[in-house]
Amino acid sequence: QVQLVESGGGLVQAGGSLRLSCAASGSIASINDMGWYRQAPGQQRELVASITSAGSTNYADSLKGRFTISRDNAKNEVYLEMNSLKPEDTAVYYCKVTGRRAVWSALRDYWGQGTQVTVSS
């Protein structure tokens, strides 16, 4: 069993900052990509940012410059630093990890339960 535990969400005023964390634990032998997605009410889930095991990053075009993704491979953790937050950033933010439960296992995606981020105007 693989568990992803997110933390750091909350209520913040427009222009403020938040830092999300996600820790992967349990039966996971290796992790490839880690990432953050978000889903606003009535909207589809969308990619926020992702990072490979080598540290290469990918961001949604609209978020470049405000959000920064990073990871700690030794701790199996991924982080999302969010600055200059806007009301339209309000959403549930989900952590996703792509990894293997064993060296012979296929790659698969694991999702966290989500953490609410609310930005007030």
Side-chain angles (χ1 to χ4, degrees), residues 94-110:
Y94 296 91
C95 168
K96 189 184 87 168
V97 166
T98 303
R100 303 177 192 272
R101 292 191 63 182
V103 293
W104 57 85
S105 301
L107 278 172
R108 61 157 291 182
D109 294 332
Y110 300 92

Side-chain angles (χ1 to χ4, degrees), residues 23-24 31 34 53 71-79:
I31 295 176
M34 305 181 86
S53 57
R71 64 188 282 173
D72 185 329
N73 290 333
K75 295 181 179 179
N76 286 344
E77 294 183 359
V78 62
Y79 313 100

Side-chain angles (χ1 to χ4, degrees), residues 3-104:
Q3 295 87 35
L4 299 182
V5 178
E6 298 135 330
S7 60
L11 174 64
V12 65
Q13 287 189 329
S17 299
L18 283 175
R19 185 176 190 253
L20 304 183
S21 299
C22 173
S25 63
S27 302
I28 188 159
S30 64
I31 295 176
N32 288 30
D33 294 353
M34 305 181 86
W36 290 94
Y37 289 71
R38 68 184 185 183
Q39 187 167 20
Q43 303 292 320
Q44 289 189 329
R45 192 173 296 188
E46 63 177 359
L47 172 71
V48 173
S50 64
I51 184 168
T52 69
S53 57
S56 295
T57 57
N58 180 47
Y59 294 91
D61 287 342
S62 62
L63 301 177
K64 289 179 181 177
R66 294 196 298 123
F67 289 15
T68 302
I69 190 170
S70 60
R71 64 188 282 173
D72 185 329
N73 290 333
K75 295 181 179 179
N76 286 344
E77 294 183 359
V78 62
Y79 313 100
L80 184 69
E81 187 76 35
M82 305 184 292
N83 298 313
S84 302
L85 283 162
K86 304 175 182 180
E88 51 263 44
D89 294 319
T90 295
V92 178
Y93 284 70
Y94 296 91
C95 168
K96 189 184 87 168
V97 166
T98 303
R100 303 177 192 272
R101 292 191 63 182
V103 293
W104 57 85

